[in-house]
Amino acid sequence: MTRSIPPEAPSQTPSQSSSHSTQSASPSTDSLITEPQTKTTAPRPSLLRSTGVVSVLTLASRVLGLCRDVVLAQFFGAGVASDAFFVAFKIPNFLRRLFAEGAFSQAFVPVLAEYRERANPEDVRELIANTSGLLCVLLGFLTVLCVLGSPLLVWVFAPGFSQEPEKMALAAGLLRLTFPYIFFIALVALSASVLNAYGHFATPAAAPIVLNLVLISCAIVAPDFAEPIRTLGWGVLIAGILQWAMQLPSLRRRKVLVWPRLNWRHEGVRRIGALMVPALFGVSVSQINLLLDTVLASFLASGSVSWLYYADRLMELPLGVFGIAIATVILPRLSQEHAGQDPDAYARTLSWGLRLVLMVGVPASMALCVLAVPILATLFQYRAFSAADTLQSMLALRAYSIGIVAFMLIKVLAPGFFARQDTKTPVKIAVIAMSINMVLNVALIQPFAHMGLALATSLAALLNASMLYRALRQAGIYRCEPGDGRFAWCVVLATILMSSVLVWVTPSDTFWFTTSLWLRVATLSGLMLLGLSAYLATLYALGVRPHVLTPTTAVKMHGECAHESSGDPL
């Protein structure tokens, strides 16, 4: 019989929390990017160090992902075969983000944190075993069903392909190879959630590197096969198996590698299921919006799906390296602080995440907008990928760049609710944002084609993020820290100066269309270094003093006292 978890003690009301925060405020709250302190004495990994580990490994994965896309663009360009593969890959990838890494992780991690806080290790292992057993059964059934019905699934996700029978048949055949990927990658997400809860982030963050390496290898050997594009489909399946296998040693070392069991009535599993259903919309609204772009783009000119894909890939670079990295390490910490009934630490952790998002997301958004043509031409414009493809992808990238900060904020704000096992509030907000997105899609696709779809997605993300932020403030869950407003203005002013410098010195589009690879790479590298230097120098001139972002070091403001924060034990 499963041992039940003791009921949670009542949380402080917002007013109580605010009062307590006022009485216990320490000088370290005046800093700009100081890692939050917690009242617990239990050793926990540093948020900043964990974010750094995830960011570095994610950066390596994203760089390899760009290399992968460069290879794909050279071998397959933007046409029938590439459109078919991107749709066949997007379907399981969408479900991975929606179910495995989205709703499942947001529902599973808080429950697992509560079990670890209040139960013995055997109960934790039993929760993991029963969760994995149910996951295997449901995903196995879903995989078989979708492989058999792949033509129907392609029609649902890309109905415009029905006008081109060859493209429809190719996409359906590729989906039969790529869809089983969701089975293995969901097990990867389960393993990652467990390892993250135990403070281990390296192995899960390194898993996407395997996918990129496998797809690069498959693309290189693809011309030797009768149907080259199908080689990529096999690569996706092989990569999923390898990504899952690499998690097993880390689980074994932490004694949480267990055989799956199937107990539908397990108390923890039922709670996860109850939290997961509404979380499907609450945490993954941006993915649903991106999917709607693909559905509508399938009705546009051939190549539209590929143009949106390449723009989305570049938009995902800052989002993945920083936004998702912060969200990955912040959810287990928030869940632990909620289970430990520490609302002040909870609010400080949210504030820490928001400041990092602003510091990275605002300049990244403007840099992608200003340097859209240089980046796209340098990375993709070779062989089958033409200058016309670069210009069309540029339109989508600039539209997506408007919403980068919002996408990153959603990754940090949504866990503020899910860690408290509140899935209703994000769902209500997500439904509103999705509805607005669909209206904007219809309104903007006619005058702006694929660019209108990207713009609608960004505007909906801005609405989603603003509503999440407002809800957290009204509930008293998040409270602004001293210096937040001044810090935000410093970031905005530094970004404006950085953008002005880049606009002034960036060569015309003709330069990027006609020069050699190495000259493009050297020029783009110089521009990025110049932009980064201008941004950081402006922050310094405005009084921002980030010494080192460690748990024991605060960030100074010119003219203000700097205080050290004790931070978390390492």
Side-chain angles (χ1 to χ4, degrees), residues 32 62 77 101 136 157 180 200 233 268-269 284 327-328 335 348 367 378 392 417 428 464 502 560:
L32 289 182
R62 298 294 177 174
E101 297 178 358
C136 287
F157 280 76
H200 178 71
V269 173
S284 302
T328 298
S335 300
R348 288 195 298 269
T378 301
Q392 294 294 341
F417 294 98
K428 294 177 182 177
N464 190 6
L502 290 177
E560 294 180 355

PDB file of all heavy atoms in Angstrom, residues 32 62 77 101 136 157 180 200 233 268-269 284 327-328 335 348 367 378 392 417 428 464 502 560:
ATOM      1  N   LEU A  32      21.074  44.213  -7.812  1.00  0.00           N
ATOM      2  CA  LEU A  32      20.362  44.060  -9.078  1.00  0.00           C
ATOM      3  C   LEU A  32      20.171  42.625  -9.475  1.00  0.00           C
ATOM      4  O   LEU A  32      19.117  42.223  -9.910  1.00  0.00           O
ATOM      5  CB  LEU A  32      21.121  44.811 -10.183  1.00  0.00           C
ATOM      6  CG  LEU A  32      21.048  46.338 -10.080  1.00  0.00           C
ATOM      7  CD1 LEU A  32      21.789  46.951 -11.236  1.00  0.00           C
ATOM      8  CD2 LEU A  32      19.615  46.787 -10.085  1.00  0.00           C
ATOM      9  N   ARG A  62      22.684  24.401 -29.026  1.00  0.00           N
ATOM     10  CA  ARG A  62      22.129  25.337 -30.002  1.00  0.00           C
ATOM     11  C   ARG A  62      23.125  25.612 -31.130  1.00  0.00           C
ATOM     12  O   ARG A  62      22.732  25.778 -32.285  1.00  0.00           O
ATOM     13  CB  ARG A  62      21.756  26.652 -29.313  1.00  0.00           C
ATOM     14  CG  ARG A  62      20.681  26.501 -28.250  1.00  0.00           C
ATOM     15  CD  ARG A  62      19.356  26.084 -28.843  1.00  0.00           C
ATOM     16  NE  ARG A  62      18.358  25.884 -27.800  1.00  0.00           N
ATOM     17  CZ  ARG A  62      17.087  25.620 -28.024  1.00  0.00           C
ATOM     18  NH1 ARG A  62      16.648  25.521 -29.252  1.00  0.00           N
ATOM     19  NH2 ARG A  62      16.249  25.431 -27.017  1.00  0.00           N
ATOM     20  N   GLY A  77      17.735  22.737 -48.931  1.00  0.00           N
ATOM     21  CA  GLY A  77      17.160  24.027 -49.266  1.00  0.00           C
ATOM     22  C   GLY A  77      15.802  24.246 -48.625  1.00  0.00           C
ATOM     23  O   GLY A  77      15.547  23.819 -47.501  1.00  0.00           O
ATOM     24  N   GLU A 101       8.027  17.749 -21.945  1.00  0.00           N
ATOM     25  CA  GLU A 101       8.795  18.793 -21.290  1.00  0.00           C
ATOM     26  C   GLU A 101       7.920  19.934 -20.795  1.00  0.00           C
ATOM     27  O   GLU A 101       8.367  20.777 -20.026  1.00  0.00           O
ATOM     28  CB  GLU A 101       9.854  19.340 -22.252  1.00  0.00           C
ATOM     29  CG  GLU A 101      10.876  18.291 -22.653  1.00  0.00           C
ATOM     30  CD  GLU A 101      11.877  18.835 -23.649  1.00  0.00           C
ATOM     31  OE1 GLU A 101      11.730  20.005 -24.041  1.00  0.00           O
ATOM     32  OE2 GLU A 101      12.785  18.088 -24.041  1.00  0.00           O
ATOM     33  N   CYS A 136       4.664   5.003 -19.966  1.00  0.00           N
ATOM     34  CA  CYS A 136       5.002   4.041 -21.024  1.00  0.00           C
ATOM     35  C   CYS A 136       3.750   3.482 -21.696  1.00  0.00           C
ATOM     36  O   CYS A 136       3.696   3.347 -22.925  1.00  0.00           O
ATOM     37  CB  CYS A 136       5.838   2.897 -20.444  1.00  0.00           C
ATOM     38  SG  CYS A 136       7.536   3.348 -20.046  1.00  0.00           S
ATOM     39  N   PHE A 157      -2.234  18.650 -39.077  1.00  0.00           N
ATOM     40  CA  PHE A 157      -1.205  19.624 -38.742  1.00  0.00           C
ATOM     41  C   PHE A 157      -0.804  20.487 -39.943  1.00  0.00           C
ATOM     42  O   PHE A 157      -0.320  21.598 -39.761  1.00  0.00           O
ATOM     43  CB  PHE A 157       0.037  18.912 -38.187  1.00  0.00           C
ATOM     44  CG  PHE A 157      -0.088  18.520 -36.748  1.00  0.00           C
ATOM     45  CD1 PHE A 157      -0.847  17.425 -36.363  1.00  0.00           C
ATOM     46  CD2 PHE A 157       0.540  19.253 -35.771  1.00  0.00           C
ATOM     47  CE1 PHE A 157      -0.970  17.055 -35.037  1.00  0.00           C
ATOM     48  CE2 PHE A 157       0.416  18.900 -34.428  1.00  0.00           C
ATOM     49  CZ  PHE A 157      -0.341  17.804 -34.069  1.00  0.00           C
ATOM     50  N   PRO A 180       7.733   7.764 -33.322  1.00  0.00           N
ATOM     51  CA  PRO A 180       8.184   7.017 -32.134  1.00  0.00           C
ATOM     52  C   PRO A 180       9.202   7.764 -31.280  1.00  0.00           C
ATOM     53  O   PRO A 180       9.439   7.388 -30.128  1.00  0.00           O
ATOM     54  CB  PRO A 180       8.800   5.749 -32.743  1.00  0.00           C
ATOM     55  CG  PRO A 180       8.072   5.574 -34.037  1.00  0.00           C
ATOM     56  CD  PRO A 180       7.841   6.958 -34.548  1.00  0.00           C
ATOM     57  N   HIS A 200      20.867  17.659 -10.267  1.00  0.00           N
ATOM     58  CA  HIS A 200      21.784  17.294 -11.353  1.00  0.00           C
ATOM     59  C   HIS A 200      21.183  17.775 -12.667  1.00  0.00           C
ATOM     60  O   HIS A 200      20.126  17.310 -13.089  1.00  0.00           O
ATOM     61  CB  HIS A 200      21.992  15.777 -11.391  1.00  0.00           C
ATOM     62  CG  HIS A 200      22.887  15.331 -12.507  1.00  0.00           C
ATOM     63  ND1 HIS A 200      24.240  15.577 -12.506  1.00  0.00           N
ATOM     64  CD2 HIS A 200      22.636  14.657 -13.650  1.00  0.00           C
ATOM     65  CE1 HIS A 200      24.787  15.071 -13.597  1.00  0.00           C
ATOM     66  NE2 HIS A 200      23.823  14.518 -14.313  1.00  0.00           N
ATOM     67  N   GLY A 233      14.627  11.053 -41.179  1.00  0.00           N
ATOM     68  CA  GLY A 233      13.587  10.437 -40.354  1.00  0.00           C
ATOM     69  C   GLY A 233      14.143   9.339 -39.464  1.00  0.00           C
ATOM     70  O   GLY A 233      13.824   9.266 -38.272  1.00  0.00           O
ATOM     71  N   GLY A 268       0.081   9.839  -5.708  1.00  0.00           N
ATOM     72  CA  GLY A 268       0.921  10.817  -6.381  1.00  0.00           C
ATOM     73  C   GLY A 268       0.655  10.881  -7.872  1.00  0.00           C
ATOM     74  O   GLY A 268       0.629  11.967  -8.468  1.00  0.00           O
ATOM     75  N   VAL A 269       0.446   9.719  -8.492  1.00  0.00           N
ATOM     76  CA  VAL A 269       0.174   9.667  -9.924  1.00  0.00           C
ATOM     77  C   VAL A 269      -1.142  10.369 -10.240  1.00  0.00           C
ATOM     78  O   VAL A 269      -1.255  11.097 -11.236  1.00  0.00           O
ATOM     79  CB  VAL A 269       0.152   8.212 -10.417  1.00  0.00           C
ATOM     80  CG1 VAL A 269      -0.307   8.129 -11.868  1.00  0.00           C
ATOM     81  CG2 VAL A 269       1.535   7.582 -10.264  1.00  0.00           C
ATOM     82  N   SER A 284       2.353  25.626 -22.368  1.00  0.00           N
ATOM     83  CA  SER A 284       2.801  25.411 -23.745  1.00  0.00           C
ATOM     84  C   SER A 284       2.029  26.219 -24.767  1.00  0.00           C
ATOM     85  O   SER A 284       1.963  25.845 -25.924  1.00  0.00           O
ATOM     86  CB  SER A 284       2.674  23.911 -24.077  1.00  0.00           C
ATOM     87  OG  SER A 284       3.422  23.139 -23.181  1.00  0.00           O
ATOM     88  N   ALA A 327      14.418  28.660 -16.481  1.00  0.00           N
ATOM     89  CA  ALA A 327      13.190  27.958 -16.103  1.00  0.00           C
ATOM     90  C   ALA A 327      13.490  26.554 -15.601  1.00  0.00           C
ATOM     91  O   ALA A 327      12.837  26.048 -14.680  1.00  0.00           O
ATOM     92  CB  ALA A 327      12.236  27.905 -17.292  1.00  0.00           C
ATOM     93  N   THR A 328      14.491  25.890 -16.199  1.00  0.00           N
ATOM     94  CA  THR A 328      14.832  24.521 -15.805  1.00  0.00           C
ATOM     95  C   THR A 328      15.282  24.451 -14.355  1.00  0.00           C
ATOM     96  O   THR A 328      14.900  23.545 -13.614  1.00  0.00           O
ATOM     97  CB  THR A 328      15.934  23.969 -16.726  1.00  0.00           C
ATOM     98  OG1 THR A 328      15.447  23.922 -18.068  1.00  0.00           O
ATOM     99  CG2 THR A 328      16.342  22.564 -16.299  1.00  0.00           C
ATOM    100  N   SER A 335       9.535  24.828  -6.264  1.00  0.00           N
ATOM    101  CA  SER A 335       8.752  23.728  -5.682  1.00  0.00           C
ATOM    102  C   SER A 335       9.241  23.395  -4.284  1.00  0.00           C
ATOM    103  O   SER A 335       8.445  23.145  -3.372  1.00  0.00           O
ATOM    104  CB  SER A 335       8.838  22.496  -6.588  1.00  0.00           C
ATOM    105  OG  SER A 335       8.326  22.765  -7.876  1.00  0.00           O
ATOM    106  N   ARG A 348      11.709  36.007  -3.925  1.00  0.00           N
ATOM    107  CA  ARG A 348      13.046  36.433  -4.332  1.00  0.00           C
ATOM    108  C   ARG A 348      13.567  35.595  -5.492  1.00  0.00           C
ATOM    109  O   ARG A 348      14.267  36.098  -6.376  1.00  0.00           O
ATOM    110  CB  ARG A 348      14.010  36.367  -3.146  1.00  0.00           C
ATOM    111  CG  ARG A 348      13.791  37.450  -2.097  1.00  0.00           C
ATOM    112  CD  ARG A 348      14.977  37.554  -1.153  1.00  0.00           C
ATOM    113  NE  ARG A 348      15.185  36.319  -0.420  1.00  0.00           N
ATOM    114  CZ  ARG A 348      14.640  36.049   0.763  1.00  0.00           C
ATOM    115  NH1 ARG A 348      13.813  36.925   1.314  1.00  0.00           N
ATOM    116  NH2 ARG A 348      14.883  34.906   1.375  1.00  0.00           N
ATOM    117  N   ALA A 367      19.071  42.645 -31.139  1.00  0.00           N
ATOM    118  CA  ALA A 367      20.198  42.186 -31.957  1.00  0.00           C
ATOM    119  C   ALA A 367      19.712  41.299 -33.096  1.00  0.00           C
ATOM    120  O   ALA A 367      20.180  41.415 -34.238  1.00  0.00           O
ATOM    121  CB  ALA A 367      21.212  41.450 -31.090  1.00  0.00           C
ATOM    122  N   THR A 378      24.781  34.472 -43.356  1.00  0.00           N
ATOM    123  CA  THR A 378      26.028  33.828 -42.933  1.00  0.00           C
ATOM    124  C   THR A 378      25.815  32.356 -42.614  1.00  0.00           C
ATOM    125  O   THR A 378      26.656  31.507 -42.941  1.00  0.00           O
ATOM    126  CB  THR A 378      26.608  34.552 -41.703  1.00  0.00           C
ATOM    127  OG1 THR A 378      26.844  35.926 -42.024  1.00  0.00           O
ATOM    128  CG2 THR A 378      27.917  33.908 -41.265  1.00  0.00           C
ATOM    129  N   GLN A 392      13.047  36.251 -47.173  1.00  0.00           N
ATOM    130  CA  GLN A 392      11.757  35.794 -46.654  1.00  0.00           C
ATOM    131  C   GLN A 392      11.893  35.332 -45.201  1.00  0.00           C
ATOM    132  O   GLN A 392      11.016  35.609 -44.364  1.00  0.00           O
ATOM    133  CB  GLN A 392      11.215  34.659 -47.527  1.00  0.00           C
ATOM    134  CG  GLN A 392      10.859  35.072 -48.947  1.00  0.00           C
ATOM    135  CD  GLN A 392       9.698  36.043 -49.002  1.00  0.00           C
ATOM    136  OE1 GLN A 392       8.918  36.163 -48.068  1.00  0.00           O
ATOM    137  NE2 GLN A 392       9.579  36.752 -50.126  1.00  0.00           N
ATOM    138  N   PHE A 417       3.354  29.694 -10.869  1.00  0.00           N
ATOM    139  CA  PHE A 417       2.057  29.097 -10.528  1.00  0.00           C
ATOM    140  C   PHE A 417       2.162  27.583 -10.358  1.00  0.00           C
ATOM    141  O   PHE A 417       1.605  27.014  -9.412  1.00  0.00           O
ATOM    142  CB  PHE A 417       1.033  29.414 -11.619  1.00  0.00           C
ATOM    143  CG  PHE A 417       0.699  30.877 -11.727  1.00  0.00           C
ATOM    144  CD1 PHE A 417       1.313  31.671 -12.674  1.00  0.00           C
ATOM    145  CD2 PHE A 417      -0.229  31.457 -10.870  1.00  0.00           C
ATOM    146  CE1 PHE A 417       1.006  33.021 -12.787  1.00  0.00           C
ATOM    147  CE2 PHE A 417      -0.545  32.802 -10.971  1.00  0.00           C
ATOM    148  CZ  PHE A 417       0.081  33.586 -11.927  1.00  0.00           C
ATOM    149  N   LYS A 428      -6.365  29.769 -17.726  1.00  0.00           N
ATOM    150  CA  LYS A 428      -7.274  30.849 -18.114  1.00  0.00           C
ATOM    151  C   LYS A 428      -6.540  31.882 -18.976  1.00  0.00           C
ATOM    152  O   LYS A 428      -7.063  32.349 -19.993  1.00  0.00           O
ATOM    153  CB  LYS A 428      -7.845  31.521 -16.858  1.00  0.00           C
ATOM    154  CG  LYS A 428      -8.758  30.618 -16.034  1.00  0.00           C
ATOM    155  CD  LYS A 428      -9.222  31.334 -14.764  1.00  0.00           C
ATOM    156  CE  LYS A 428     -10.095  30.420 -13.909  1.00  0.00           C
ATOM    157  NZ  LYS A 428     -10.493  31.088 -12.630  1.00  0.00           N
ATOM    158  N   ASN A 464       0.274  37.119 -23.149  1.00  0.00           N
ATOM    159  CA  ASN A 464       0.361  36.023 -22.185  1.00  0.00           C
ATOM    160  C   ASN A 464       1.298  36.387 -21.029  1.00  0.00           C
ATOM    161  O   ASN A 464       0.952  36.223 -19.848  1.00  0.00           O
ATOM    162  CB  ASN A 464       0.869  34.769 -22.903  1.00  0.00           C
ATOM    163  CG  ASN A 464       0.755  33.527 -22.045  1.00  0.00           C
ATOM    164  OD1 ASN A 464       0.201  33.561 -20.953  1.00  0.00           O
ATOM    165  ND2 ASN A 464       1.299  32.428 -22.526  1.00  0.00           N
ATOM    166  N   LEU A 502      24.886  49.231 -34.009  1.00  0.00           N
ATOM    167  CA  LEU A 502      24.811  48.156 -34.997  1.00  0.00           C
ATOM    168  C   LEU A 502      24.194  48.641 -36.311  1.00  0.00           C
ATOM    169  O   LEU A 502      24.663  48.291 -37.400  1.00  0.00           O
ATOM    170  CB  LEU A 502      24.003  46.984 -34.440  1.00  0.00           C
ATOM    171  CG  LEU A 502      24.667  46.184 -33.309  1.00  0.00           C
ATOM    172  CD1 LEU A 502      23.721  45.100 -32.798  1.00  0.00           C
ATOM    173  CD2 LEU A 502      25.970  45.557 -33.782  1.00  0.00           C
ATOM    174  N   GLU A 560      25.187  53.752  -4.750  1.00  0.00           N
ATOM    175  CA  GLU A 560      24.445  53.035  -3.719  1.00  0.00           C
ATOM    176  C   GLU A 560      25.411  52.109  -2.990  1.00  0.00           C
ATOM    177  O   GLU A 560      26.456  51.733  -3.503  1.00  0.00           O
ATOM    178  CB  GLU A 560      23.317  52.209  -4.332  1.00  0.00           C
ATOM    179  CG  GLU A 560      22.229  53.054  -4.970  1.00  0.00           C
ATOM    180  CD  GLU A 560      21.151  52.181  -5.556  1.00  0.00           C
ATOM    181  OE1 GLU A 560      21.306  50.950  -5.537  1.00  0.00           O
ATOM    182  OE2 GLU A 560      20.152  52.726  -6.031  1.00  0.00           O
TER     183      GLU A 560
END
